[in-house]
Each structure stands twice: as C-alpha cells, then as structure tokens.
Amino acid sequence: MNYKSTRDNNISVKSSEAIAKGLSPEGGLFVPDSIPIISESNIKYMAGMSYTQRAKEILGRFLTDFTDEELDACINAAYTKEKFETNAIAPVYKLSDSQYVLELWHGPTCAFKDMALQILPHLLTTSVKKLGIERETVILVATSGDTGKAALEGFKDVDNTKIIVFFPDEGVSQIQRLQMCTQEGKNVFVSAVNGNFDDAQNGVKAIFTDKEYESFLQDNKKALSSANSINWGRLVPQIVYYFSAYCDMIAAGEIECGDEVNICVPTGNFGNILAAYYAKCMGLPVKKLICASNKNNVLTDFINTGVYDKNRDFYVTTSPSMDILISSNLERLLYMISGGRADVVSSYMAELKENGIYTVSDEIKNEIKESFYGGCADDIKCADTIKETYEKHGYVTDTHTAVAVCVHNEYVKETGDNTKTIIASTASPFKFNGAVLSALGKEDEVNELDEFRLLEKLANDYELRIPASLKTLEEKEVRFEVVCDKNQMKAVINEFLAN
Ligand SMILES: *Cc1c(COP(=O)(O)O)cnc(C)c1O
C-alpha cells in the first residue's frame, strides 16, 4: 500500500516515508491509496485476541513496508501493562444498555493522546532507519499542556531522538507544569516561554520554517520533526481501539458479530473521529459517527450546513483540548468523501487559508451527513452531564467525555436511535479535577484546595483510585526550571543539542 497526498495525486510514497516526512512537501496530508477490508469473520477472530495482537492485525494492513519483526517491536514497546496499568490497554466500561465508554486514558499521562504517542516514536525511528537515513530526529513541540507531556513520555530514551517541549509560562495548570518539569529521560528538555500559548506556538513555527537553521541542523546530521496529529503515524494507531472496543463487546456477549453500533467522539482536531471513520470504511459495522464539540462548534455547523467557517469567536472552555477552530484532519475526510479529488481539496484549503471559510458541494455535504451527526455542548450542559451521569450510573467522567455523553443523549432524544454506542472517553477525571469536582457540587473546596488535595478529594469522595503517574508527581524532583523569551528559543535548543 502506498500513500498519496490530499493535495497532489501524483505523489506516492511508502508508509515509512509518509511517517518520516509527516507532511507532504506541498502542504497536503498523507492518506492511504486504498482502504483495507477487515471481514466479519476476521473481526470475530480478533475478538479472541489481546490488544497488542489486534493492533498488529490493523497496523499490518496499513504499514505494509514494515516487517513482522519491526511491527512487533513497535507494538510491544508501546502497549505494556506497566505503562497502561491494565492489560486491556483500552477497556470498555458499560454505562447502560446503550452506552459503552471506551476508556482511552490509562496511559502514562492520563489522556487519550498516549494511545498514539506511545507508539509514534517507535514507528518514526523504525521508518527513518528503514529509509537508510542517518540522522538524529529532533522533536520540537509547543504545547498548551497535554500534547507536550504525552510526547515527552513517548519519546523519552528512544534511541536516535531528542525532544524539546516549550510551554507558555502563563498558560498551564499546576499539575501540567509539574508533569513536564519533572520529566525523566536522557534525551528530553523542557522550557517555559514568557507569554501565552500563541507566543510559544509562533516561536516553534518560526524555527520550523527557518531554512538556514534547517541546513545547519542537516550538516550536523539532525532533522527537526513534529509530533502533532497530522502525521499518519499518529492517526493509524487510533483505528485500532475502535476495532478493539467492538471485539470486547462481542467477547462480553453485549453484541453479536455483525451488529451495528454507533460511535460518539469528543472532537477538536477531527483526528480521533476520523480514525473511527476509517474503521467504518474498513468494515467495522458502524451506523452513525457522532461528532461532539464544545462551545467552539465549528464542526457541528459544518456537518449541518456544509459551510466551514472559522471566522467566529474563540471560547476558552472547561474542555480545553477541544478549543480548536481549525480541525486539520478534516482535510483527510474531504479527500476520502470526494473520491480522492486532490484538486477539490486543494481549493477548499486555499479558501480556508485566504478567507477562513469554504463551502463544500451538495454531494459532499450529503455524503458526510450519511455517516456523521454533529452536536455540541457548552460548559453548563457539560457540567450538568457530569452530575447526571454520576447520579444515574455512579460513573465519573472528565469534561471532554461529558461533552460526548451529552451530545449522545441529545442525539437519542432527537432521533430515537437506541443503537448501542461506543463513547470515546479521552481523559481521566483526575486530569481535570477542578472542573469535575465543581460539576459535582464541590465548588467551595475547589476554590480552597490546591490541585493535589483535589486529587485526594476526588478519590476519597467517589471511591476512585488516583492514577499512579499523578499520585507520585508531588514528590518528584523538578529537573527543568528554565524560562526563556520567545526570541531565545533557538538558543535554548542549540545549547541542549550541543550536549
Ligand atoms: C486532543 C484531545 C481531544 C481532541 O481530539 P482530536 O483528535 O483533536 O479530535 C479530546 N479530548 C482530549 C482529552 C484531548 O487531549
């Protein structure tokens, strides 16, 4: 199988090249040139497998230039009981007869990005090696919190890589800061940047587009790379857990193989739900994909009207990882739905860049509506849902997951469709403890206690176990205390790389 670019059909590369490059040179995203089909009997067979075996089934269909040994090495390094605190890796929790919560947050940083960022470093270094490129990969990340820590954990002590993370000095929570500044590993560096997320992000972007710096690094056998969600190596591992959840439901006797399910995903960049769409195209019996947004509901409007319009107010919400107005991975959906029309996708993306808005054809709009339902929930609805879900089912969800539960509840009310639904749960409630406890009526304590006492409160009041990685955080040694200005970022990188 080869990979094309969403903006140029003449480009065709192997999966290792797609992963090593990240982005196609003309700005398009890499997409597989065909969709592998997993038959019903295959799915039935996978129901008896472990998570790592299921991962091999799915990844093997896409990464066709990887050997069996290479795939095994990547998968076995990523998905271990030590890292995920459970053999199931991504267990399914039955909330009710129609709602099944797919818990994607048992990894080292307690959010779903671990599912891809634990394996991406191995896919990336294997790809670079396969291509015979002699270089050290330098991962550069600007983060508003979650991605940076997940990338640090994924890349720590991975051979032939270094990783440097910049976070805004004014923009992360106490726990997020400590998670990053106590990071272990020989090849990691973390620095705060004076300013907000945009300052950190713009600084990193400027370094990525600095041609002179690029050739300087090249002369030193180094190359910059990014860990963000447009890399195919981040998307493909996410397809696995939708198959895995369906298999778990078969194994538990909740469904028969072949029964249709819905999948509901709290969405920002459209990566996680796109992986579910790939699963559907591959033969997973999915009826509707329910796309759940917070108050930044650009995707809800797009699915309902066919108009993508980012010219709107930006809201800071209690589900910050979904506060996004440009959903990068939507480009891959448009490519698939238009039947591989790179010219059409290119023109939409050009309009988005120029005017911040584009309108898809009626054909594309209708095709999207066939597969997707779009809904949104603001902070008040989200908090009400956390409370209601706990009162009804005794289950505490984080804010992002609650957005999905809320939108699914509304979908059922509106359509009467009671099909069993897999709801992607993207973060542990401990990660967003303040907002979760407030929703549960403990606002006073939230105002009085620091984040570590809130972890204990959440655990004690609701009989939950604090994830090991958060529990030990307070005692960990702080390794990184640098705060730099935006124009010092390159110097910080150089100093680290020189050692
Ligand atoms: C990144 C993130 C999301 C959004 O995922 P996308 O792939 O960008 O749609 C949702 N919830 C949490 C907790 C996240 O970290």
Side-chain angles (χ1 to χ4, degrees):
M1 172 184 296
N2 276 348
Y3 288 76
K4 287 181 178 295
S5 162
T6 50
R7 298 188 198 175
D8 183 353
N9 273 332
N10 294 317
I11 287 176
S12 180
V13 300
K14 289 186 290 202
S15 70
S16 52
E17 286 178 84
I19 292 170
K21 284 199 169 101
L23 195 66
S24 187
E26 83 300 339
L29 309 190
F30 288 115
V31 278
D33 63 6
S34 62
I35 299 295
I37 299 300
I38 308 276
S39 68
E40 208 173 294
S41 60
N42 240 297
I43 294 175
K44 205 170 192 171
Y45 184 61
M46 280 167 63
M49 290 181 172
S50 66
Y51 191 87
T52 48
Q53 290 169 322
R54 290 170 185 166
K56 180 136 186 230
E57 282 293 310
I58 304 298
L59 295 184
R61 312 284 178 124
F62 285 102
L63 310 182
T64 48
D65 57 329
F66 281 57
T67 64
D68 267 355
E69 292 72 29
E70 285 168 342
L71 273 179
D72 282 335
C74 292
I75 291 167
N76 293 333
Y79 301 118
T80 65
K81 167 127 199 250
E82 290 68 48
K83 287 176 169 168
F84 285 82
E85 295 190 55
T86 158
N87 278 323
I89 306 295
V92 175
Y93 179 90
K94 182 176 179 179
L95 203 59
S96 69
D97 282 337
S98 64
Q99 294 183 320
Y100 295 76
V101 180
L102 169 56
E103 296 180 344
L104 300 172
W105 40 260
H106 290 275
T109 75
C110 307
F112 100 99
K113 291 189 173 63
D114 290 329
M115 297 303 300
L117 279 168
Q118 279 298 314
I119 193 166
L120 175 72
H122 302 288
L123 297 177
L124 187 63
T125 49
T126 307
S127 296
V128 169
K129 205 162 164 196
K130 286 175 77 58
L131 295 169
I133 309 169
E134 263 191 53
R135 72 172 195 207
E136 183 178 57
T137 302
V138 181
I139 303 288
L140 205 53
V141 183
T143 184
S144 55
D146 287 342
T147 306
K149 177 61 184 177
L152 284 165
E153 274 298 321
F155 279 95
K156 85 168 171 207
D157 293 333
V158 173
D159 286 347
N160 278 320
T161 67
K162 286 207 166 81
I163 174 164
I164 303 155
V165 170
F166 292 100
F167 69 86
D169 199 33
E170 299 154 12
V172 298
S173 74
Q174 185 191 4
I175 283 187
Q176 285 176 324
R177 172 184 290 266
L178 264 182
Q179 273 189 315
M180 290 188 275
C181 293
T182 60
Q183 178 65 46
E184 289 158 6
K186 292 188 287 291
N187 62 339
V188 304
F189 194 82
V190 175
S191 171
V193 180
N194 281 316
N196 57 25
F197 175 60
D198 277 343
D199 294 316
Q201 169 103 316
N202 290 336
V204 162
K205 271 192 187 155
I207 293 168
F208 266 115
T209 50
D210 184 337
K211 291 276 176 241
E212 214 171 291
Y213 192 56
E214 188 183 336
S215 51
F216 164 76
L217 288 176
Q218 216 164 31
D219 293 344
N220 289 287
K221 293 211 181 323
K222 297 185 199 305
L224 290 181
S225 187
S226 120
N228 69 21
S229 77
I230 51 179
N231 192 312
W232 178 251
R234 254 190 83 173
L235 197 73
V236 69
Q238 300 186 347
I239 301 172
V240 175
Y241 48 71
Y242 292 111
F243 277 96
S244 181
Y246 189 88
C247 288
D248 280 353
M249 287 168 72
I250 297 173
E254 298 292 331
I255 53 171
E256 299 276 340
C257 187
D259 287 354
E260 281 194 319
V261 295
N262 292 331
I263 297 178
C264 179
V265 185
T267 313
N269 220 351
F270 208 76
N272 203 0
I273 193 163
L274 181 72
Y277 179 70
Y278 274 109
K280 177 175 160 70
C281 295
M282 291 167 71
L284 192 70
V286 178
K287 188 168 161 190
K288 262 303 187 236
L289 294 159
I290 299 164
C291 176
S293 301
N294 63 24
K295 197 172 176 184
N296 296 294
N297 60 356
V298 60
L299 285 166
T300 316
D301 290 346
F302 173 67
I303 291 168
N304 289 329
T305 65
V307 181
Y308 193 95
D309 184 0
K310 78 161 184 76
N311 303 314
R312 56 177 72 209
D313 289 338
F314 174 83
Y315 299 103
V316 174
T317 73
T318 54
S319 45
S321 305
M322 290 151 64
D323 292 344
I324 287 173
L325 289 182
I326 298 188
S327 306
S328 317
N329 267 300
L330 190 59
E331 182 169 346
R332 285 191 165 109
L333 179 74
L334 295 174
Y335 183 86
M336 299 248 282
I337 297 250
S338 67
R341 291 286 303 272
D343 55 336
V344 173
V345 175
S346 295
S347 71
Y348 292 155
M349 291 306 122
E351 285 173 50
L352 181 65
K353 195 169 173 200
E354 208 151 293
N355 308 315
I357 180 170
Y358 62 88
T359 305
V360 297
S361 67
D362 282 347
E363 241 180 323
I364 292 179
K365 179 176 108 181
N366 294 335
E367 186 88 14
I368 289 176
K369 274 201 164 167
E370 275 290 299
S371 294
F372 290 87
Y373 170 93
C376 57
D378 62 15
D379 283 356
I380 294 171
K381 279 190 187 174
C382 169
D384 288 348
T385 304
I386 291 174
K387 188 156 190 276
E388 186 190 299
T389 306
Y390 179 70
E391 284 169 357
K392 258 195 186 157
H393 308 294
Y395 186 79
V396 180
T397 64
D398 97 292
T399 45
H400 303 76
T401 310
V403 167
V405 173
C406 178
V407 169
H408 180 252
N409 289 340
E410 288 185 353
Y411 166 82
V412 173
K413 250 187 235 150
E414 186 183 315
T415 61
D417 178 11
N418 270 314
T419 304
K420 289 181 191 296
T421 299
I422 296 168
I423 297 177
S425 174
T426 52
S428 156
F430 285 97
K431 193 135 198 194
F432 298 94
N433 49 54
V436 169
L437 281 165
S438 293
L440 292 166
K442 315 257 159 125
E443 213 148 19
D444 291 346
E445 287 94 328
V446 172
N447 292 330
E448 279 162 23
L449 303 174
D450 74 17
E451 284 199 62
F452 289 101
R453 305 290 82 71
L454 291 179
L455 290 180
E456 287 159 7
K457 175 145 194 75
L458 189 56
N460 292 337
D461 290 7
Y462 300 95
E463 290 175 41
L464 299 170
R465 197 174 50 82
I466 304 176
S469 61
L470 294 181
K471 195 171 180 170
T472 54
L473 195 55
E474 212 177 356
E475 286 95 57
K476 278 211 167 141
E477 179 203 353
V478 172
R479 295 184 62 207
F480 303 102
E481 291 178 297
V482 176
V483 184
C484 71
D485 279 333
K486 205 168 117 181
N487 57 15
Q488 296 173 319
M489 288 165 72
K490 214 163 32 178
V492 168
I493 297 170
N494 285 337
E495 194 182 328
F496 172 59
L497 292 183
N499 292 320

